Amino acid sequence: MFRILVSDAISEEGLAPLRKSEQIEIVQKKVTEVEEQLHEFDALLVRSATKVTEELLSKMPNLKIIGRAGVGVDNIDVEAATKRGIVVINAPNGNTISAAEHTFAMMAALVRHIPQAHVSVKSREWNRSAFVGTELQGKHLGIIGFGRIGSEVAKRARAFGMTVHVYDPFLTKERAEKLGVSIHTLDEVLACSDIITVHTPLTKETKGLLGEKNLAKTKKGVYLINCARGGIIDEQALIPFLQSGHVAGVALDVFEQEPPGDHPLFAFDNVIVTPHLGASTIEAQLNVATQVAEEILHFLEGKPVTSSINLPTLSKDVYEKIQAFYNLAKKMGTIASQYMNIPVQELSVTYAGTVADLETTYITRSLLAGFLRPRVASTVNEVNAAMIAKERGITYGEKFSDETYGYANCISLTVHGENRTFTIKGSHIPNYGDRIVHFDGFTIDFAPDGHLLYIQHQDRPGMIGKVGNVLGEHQVNIATMQVGREQAGGKAIMMLSLDKPIDDALLQKLAEIEDIETVKRLEVS
Ligand SMILES: NC(=O)C1=CN([C@@H]2O[C@H](COP(=O)(O)OP(=O)(O)OC[C@H]3O[C@@H](n4cnc5c(N)ncnc54)[C@H](O)[C@@H]3O)[C@@H](O)[C@H]2O)C=CC1
Ligand SMILES: O=C(O)CCC(=O)C(=O)O
């Protein structure tokens, strides 16, 4: 049974996919109302009101996934979540149209003074000359940030007969041409636009993007719109530009602090505001809630998520193709980590055959998580494996090769430790399973599952019997046994699969058998 905390107002209809599952219990309460039960939740579903801080995460040790019913994840400490191995997902396109339409509504309201005129008429005035506006047709619209919302705003602007100038360092010429907009530098957009609207995320680069210096580069009489994130336009810096009339008007849906309280910008009649309503439509709320609910359900059912912020995303098709290798790689990592139980500096993974054509980044992350799991006390999974490896000074890299050693596919892992290198190779054989086909210089063939016992010994008659006797005396049943050797009478290995784990005392007894050089317990869960 999984428990999900829904701590913000989320569309009830959108939660339907979760409600249908008998494996899920939904609790709809604010964080402050469930302080005592926070440790019980497996998933957290929020909009923008809940601040998912490091402190909150520390009270939720069972949390596996955070769903943001919306786009911006600036209310979530994604780095802290990643460190804890918590997947963060959002609903990237469910509210795009609503946010673009709201931007357009704000633009029209701004240049036609609709909010001010509305207040005037309701105050029993009839002052038509006070509210003379400007047309949108023929005006130059500057769009900063040309992703989903920016491009929908552009489509609407073109329908209104506006010329659209875009600044987005990641925008390609082909896409700009397709959408009928021109690409410019930031300075060019600032200088040529009658109206500027921002549609970037709030990042280190975009915070204060329209501050004193850049506002001074805008056309006199410019209108500004921020329906993205508070702080992209520096609120404090706007004040002198509004006082001087350089900026003719500002429309804000978002604020540096929300709610903004008694804000100095409210003193200006030509500043119009809404309380972060960009995504507040029935359609957008249903879309984002449904998207996130379905993703959380998939995740809890062990299926792939498609819109994760901190995990490489995979389609269902791709996931199905890589799943077998993903599992094999994890087991290989776990075995290698226990076998090389010394500090290691580097993991090198080589993919050959059919696996080399797949999304190997994901497979490597799985291998890394498997490797780190026996070494770290905290949760480690595909989400935080790269981060933990970096913290521990372990580098890793991928290579590709044609050498499959006669198998259709082969994953080879080489672990570099101080004065010691270890290589393990594995293959996934459809309808048969995962096999380890090479182990520390020996050709072998065993299934990397359960309670494994590795023994390295001199190749002498009777070794198998001696090991079997000791295990038998301690009521430990051998399920399978594979052997390999360098040459007759030389160095040899046995890999046994046992029906139960063995303790240190038994391990010691086995190590004391004459001609046995190394005994290692390898647990693969
Ligand atoms: N007011 C509201 O209720 C809503 C606000 N939003 C906000 O709108 C913003 C845009 O959302 P989407 O279009 O869905 O995001 P998106 O990710 O599709 O687009 C963002 C664009 O900004 C560009 N960008 C990033 N850094 C930039 C920089 N330094 N300069 C110029 N461009 C830069 C990216 O290349 C990308 O094309 C986000 O901040 C999001 O949180 C989204 C939905 C509703
Ligand atoms: O949840 C909301 O209404 C805010 C939407 C938003 O700002 C976003 O999706 O980034």
Side-chain angles (χ1 to χ4, degrees), residues 47-48 68-72 95 229 276 279-280 285:
R47 254 172 90 180
S48 53
R68 157 72 164 109
V71 182
N95 60 25
R229 274 296 174 273
H276 202 148
S280 290
Q285 286 315 305

Side-chain angles (χ1 to χ4, degrees), residues 411-460:
I411 302 177
S412 174
L413 164 66
T414 299
V415 181
H416 302 272
E418 231 162 72
N419 311 321
R420 175 94 168 84
T421 293
F422 161 71
T423 297
I424 179 171
K425 298 187 204 309
S427 181
H428 177 76
I429 302 170
N431 304 321
Y432 186 44
D434 297 329
R435 308 301 294 180
I436 300 302
V437 297
H438 175 103
F439 194 92
D440 207 8
F442 292 92
T443 299
I444 196 163
D445 176 14
F446 68 92
D449 293 305
H451 315 292
L452 298 175
L453 180 67
Y454 165 87
I455 296 179
Q456 195 244 298
H457 58 97
Q458 286 303 315
D459 185 29
R460 305 264 183 273

